[in-house]
Amino acid sequence: MLELKDVHTYYGNIHALKGISLTVGDGEIVTLIGSNGAGKSTTLRTIQGLNKPKSGSVVFNGTELHKLPAHEISALGVAQSPEGRMIFPRMTVMENLEMGAYVRKDLTSLKDDLDHVFTLFPRLKERIGQKGGTLSGGEQQMLAMGRALMAKPKILLLDEPSMGLAPLLVELIFEIIKKLNEEGTTILLVEQNALMALSIADRGYVLQTGEVVLADQADKLMKNDMVQKTYLGVE
């Protein structure tokens, strides 16, 4: 479904991605793990068209994304729940969700998709008229994910969905990620909580300073010595 091939992305003179290559198959959960500054968020931003690669290719269902502007990439079925949530604080929960559907051309199933979001996140239905900026951190994460789902994505890019959340909420978010995948959504997950990410993923890539240093089935990565010591806290 998605393939990055030898992607190099820069921030000015800073070489953020140094030849990233990875694939995501239809129906998979693939996770990217790595420390801060490894290039995980930049990888998602490059897929979404927010950062243009200097070289290399990003291909989604046969379409070369690296040649398209971000809004056209969204219209193809690529949606992101970004790091830090980035909801619209002065807009209501409902207005934020409606913004997620902005690029959609097929609006016939809009109500069904809204109902689906409210089924996954009943708290959002309770807060439907509340301003996004007044929600708790957990509720804002739910809203960011719900907004992305309103785009009816073929692939969902999740950037640090557990960041800053209490352990119980982290478990809830990951249960929902698993449920979305079981319903047919392909997911590319960036997550600092490597244990949780690898526990639900099919495959994983380990990034260090803009390069893929390990790639394997998630269960094998969990048993890898370097992954255990560096990311899972195993002595």
Side-chain angles (χ1 to χ4, degrees):
M1 177 180 271
L2 177 70
E3 182 178 18
L4 278 68
K5 210 168 190 178
D6 196 26
V7 169
H8 292 259
T9 301
Y10 287 75
Y11 290 104
N13 292 324
I14 297 167
H15 197 175
L17 300 185
K18 304 169 185 173
I20 293 281
S21 295
L22 61 86
T23 62
V24 182
D26 191 6
E28 280 192 308
I29 299 179
V30 174
T31 188
L32 308 181
I33 61 174
S35 56
N36 282 336
K40 306 184 302 297
S41 293
T42 304
T43 300
L44 296 194
R45 287 178 60 84
T46 301
I47 294 165
Q48 192 78 57
L50 300 170
N51 292 106
K52 288 296 178 188
K54 197 163 190 179
S55 62
S57 63
V58 181
V59 179
F60 175 66
N61 284 338
T63 301
E64 295 181 322
L65 299 189
H66 54 281
K67 296 180 178 178
L68 300 177
H71 68 280
E72 288 183 22
I73 292 171
S74 296
L76 289 171
V78 180
Q80 182 172 176
S81 173
E83 182 182 4
R85 291 127 202 181
M86 304 293 284
I87 58 154
F88 301 103
R90 295 183 184 181
M91 296 171 73
T92 65
V93 166
M94 186 65 183
E95 288 166 341
N96 269 274
L97 293 174
E98 286 172 342
M99 285 300 291
Y102 184 76
V103 295
R104 282 177 60 169
K105 292 190 170 54
D106 165 33
L107 301 179
T108 52
S109 58
L110 207 58
K111 186 183 180 305
D112 289 342
D113 295 328
L114 190 61
D115 289 343
H116 182 230
V117 168
F118 288 148
T119 301
L120 289 169
F121 304 110
R123 195 88 59 88
L124 294 182
K125 191 168 187 179
E126 295 167 14
R127 307 276 192 274
I128 194 165
Q130 195 169 322
K131 294 277 197 293
T134 66
L135 301 176
S136 69
E139 289 164 349
Q140 288 189 15
Q141 184 58 56
M142 293 173 192
L143 182 54
M145 288 176 66
R147 180 182 60 187
L149 290 172
M150 287 302 292
K152 208 165 187 177
K154 295 183 176 76
I155 186 167
L156 180 61
L157 311 179
L158 295 175
D159 197 350
E160 303 286 6
S162 77
M163 184 183 280
L165 301 185
L168 275 176
L169 268 177
V170 172
E171 284 186 27
L172 173 65
I173 292 293
F174 273 86
E175 280 170 21
I176 288 166
I177 294 169
K178 267 168 55 179
K179 185 170 177 15
L180 287 169
N181 181 247
E182 286 162 7
E183 291 172 353
T185 305
T186 303
I187 293 169
L188 180 57
L189 169 67
V190 160
E191 181 54 62
Q192 285 241 326
N193 188 333
L195 184 61
M196 288 292 278
L198 291 170
S199 70
I200 66 165
D202 299 295
R203 294 185 300 111
Y205 293 86
V206 180
L207 271 59
Q208 287 182 358
T209 58
E211 297 178 272
V212 174
V213 295
L214 268 178
D216 212 332
Q217 298 296 316
D219 56 346
K220 291 181 180 172
L221 284 176
M222 286 179 85
K223 295 170 187 168
N224 179 279
D225 284 347
M226 187 271 275
V227 172
Q228 287 193 340
K229 286 175 185 169
T230 310
Y231 304 108
L232 303 181
V234 177
E235 295 297 329

